[in-house]
Amino acid sequence: MFRPRVIPCLLLRNNGLVKSVKFKDYTYVGDPLNAVKIFNEKKADELVFLDITATKEKRCINLNLVKNIGEECNMPFAVGGGISSVEQIRELLKAGAEKVCINSYAYHDLNFIKKASDEFGSSTIVVSIDVKKNIFGKQQVYINAGTKSTGANPVDYAQQVAEKGAGEIIINSVDCDGAMTGYDTALIKKVADAVDVPVVALGGAGSLNDLKKAVTEGNASAVAAGSLFVFHGSRRAVLINFPTQKELVTLFE
């Protein structure tokens, strides 16, 4: 069995790292550059940094912070938060990011995905899709940090962004976020089976076995997690951690 990428997903708020539960109840977990140093030592495959207040505040993720991350980071990393122009993408890539994650603006302007992928190559453009059940239990795409329903079906929307040139899709379950009870593998599988680009599972991982299930049951190409890599024990003590390469190879054998 192939060894999928395993990616810590780190949330930024006021230039600090936080972790959420269902996109609420934020806990401060430390300094992003300190986390990068630890993940360097642990040899993480990639990192994702998402500024969760950038869209609401009508700005892009902090460019200086991205530069600082780029100077420190030994692995490829992606950044997202408030990206809405080709020029912003250009500056973020110059600052050291390998990929950019686009969320809310992709929904507002699907053609922006095409413009961006034409300009920088589809492998650079990641679309992050936040999915949550509405009051009737129907899964829909949400934007603006999970606060606004679009009414869009996540599978249909994933197909649209893939057709426009997204090179990778992150599927994030808001309902599973921070719960550490496992991914929504049914959702991941529906999306992964419907598109021909890599799908990254996010939201809910609480154990290494959850990572494996996202791949074997959800057909994910890669797995991302937040709480699993920043908390330790039932009291959720903050401890930046990452499995060893040997543990990952054994896990996915």
Side-chain angles (χ1 to χ4, degrees):
M1 183 178 180
F2 87 107
R3 210 291 254 150
R5 289 169 292 143
V6 178
I7 308 166
C9 181
L10 305 170
L11 306 182
L12 296 166
R13 193 182 195 197
N14 299 323
N15 292 333
L17 288 185
V18 297
K19 191 63 200 75
S20 59
V21 176
K22 297 188 177 181
F23 281 36
K24 295 179 286 190
D25 303 326
Y26 295 103
T27 301
Y28 176 76
V29 295
D31 175 69
L33 296 181
N34 185 52
V36 169
K37 289 174 186 174
I38 296 171
F39 284 124
N40 280 343
E41 293 170 6
K42 302 283 187 183
K43 295 182 168 57
D45 296 331
E46 294 180 22
L47 294 177
V48 173
F49 292 89
L50 302 176
D51 186 323
I52 58 174
T53 59
T55 295
K56 183 181 176 183
E57 294 170 0
K58 295 182 169 51
R59 60 172 177 79
C60 187
I61 183 172
N62 185 305
L63 186 62
N64 284 330
L65 178 59
V66 174
K67 286 178 181 175
N68 290 336
I69 291 169
E71 288 170 0
E72 191 68 51
C73 200
N74 290 344
M75 77 274 309
F77 69 97
V79 296
I83 297 170
S84 60
S85 75
V86 166
E87 188 52 40
Q88 286 171 340
I89 296 174
R90 183 174 287 110
E91 290 300 312
L92 292 167
L93 296 178
K94 269 192 206 170
E98 183 185 65
K99 303 175 187 174
V100 293
C101 293
I102 303 165
N103 187 307
S104 298
Y105 198 72
Y107 180 79
H108 292 306
D109 184 4
L110 270 174
N111 284 324
F112 177 60
I113 302 301
K114 177 164 173 44
K115 283 181 203 167
S117 62
D118 285 349
E119 181 76 20
F120 304 106
S122 61
S123 63
T124 304
I125 309 302
V126 181
V127 172
S128 177
I129 303 176
D130 297 328
V131 180
K132 184 165 69 169
K133 289 178 182 173
N134 64 11
I135 56 172
F136 304 108
K138 186 177 180 182
Q139 289 185 318
Q140 296 181 334
V141 175
Y142 277 67
I143 56 173
N144 293 13
T147 61
K148 182 179 179 182
S149 173
T150 65
N153 175 283
V155 175
D156 294 342
Y157 179 60
Q159 288 176 321
Q160 290 173 342
V161 298
E163 286 167 7
K164 288 294 183 181
E168 189 165 83
I169 294 171
I170 297 175
I171 288 290
N172 191 5
S173 168
V174 178
D175 298 307
C176 295
D177 173 61
M180 300 185 76
T181 54
Y183 294 100
D184 185 340
T185 52
L187 168 65
I188 296 160
K189 187 176 190 304
K190 281 182 202 168
V191 174
D193 290 352
V195 298
D196 58 2
V197 299
V199 169
V200 182
L202 178 61
S207 70
L208 294 186
N209 198 46
D210 289 335
L211 304 181
K212 184 173 183 177
K213 281 184 179 178
V215 176
T216 58
E217 298 176 16
N219 292 347
S221 298
V223 286
S227 298
L228 180 63
F229 301 136
V230 299
F231 292 133
H232 176 71
S234 59
R235 294 177 183 272
R236 292 167 76 93
V238 175
L239 176 68
I240 305 294
N241 66 94
F242 191 79
T244 66
Q245 295 301 312
K246 185 177 179 181
E247 284 176 313
L248 291 175
V249 169
T250 301
L251 180 69
F252 291 107
E253 276 180 346

